[in-house]
């Protein structure tokens, strides 16, 4: 499973660790991705979404119907 959010599109950022001696090694900044299951009343079924922690809060605010509509508008199959 790739580390990206279906709602916000958050993906890993890339950077470097810098040690005390100032050697630089590559690293990833992964978003906080969670798999969450929501009941979708309009379709009478559950949907499992891959969301970042920020997107879970957004779903709590706007509702699951609006969130699924946004995800589908981005062209992602739900």
């Amino acid at each position: 499973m790739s580390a990206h959010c279906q709602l916000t599109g958050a993906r890993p950022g890339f950077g470097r660790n810098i040690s005390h001696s100032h050697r630089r090694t590559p690293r990833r900044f992964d978003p906080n991705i969670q798999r969450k299951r929501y009941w979708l009343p309009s379709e009478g079924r559950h949907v499992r979404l891959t969301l970042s922690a920020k997107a879970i809060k957004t779903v709590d605010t706007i509702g699951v119907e609006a969130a699924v509509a946004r995800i589908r508008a981005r062209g992602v199959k739900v």
Side-chain angles (χ1 to χ4, degrees), residues 31-47:
N32 186 3
I33 298 295
Q34 310 291 326
R35 286 186 55 121
K36 190 126 168 80
R37 190 172 158 226
Y38 289 100
W39 173 252
L40 198 57
S42 64
E43 297 180 16
R45 68 183 182 104
H46 286 96
V47 291

Side-chain angles (χ1 to χ4, degrees), residues 4-16:
H4 74 278
C5 176
Q6 289 179 317
L7 182 61
T8 63
R11 291 187 177 271
F14 294 90
R16 297 191 180 271

Side-chain angles (χ1 to χ4, degrees), residues 29-65:
F29 296 92
D30 287 325
N32 186 3
I33 298 295
Q34 310 291 326
R35 286 186 55 121
K36 190 126 168 80
R37 190 172 158 226
Y38 289 100
W39 173 252
L40 198 57
S42 64
E43 297 180 16
R45 68 183 182 104
H46 286 96
V47 291
R48 188 176 300 276
L49 302 176
T50 304
L51 302 171
S52 63
K54 180 181 177 181
I56 291 173
K57 295 172 191 170
T58 303
V59 171
D60 291 342
T61 304
I62 67 173
V64 69
E65 297 285 345

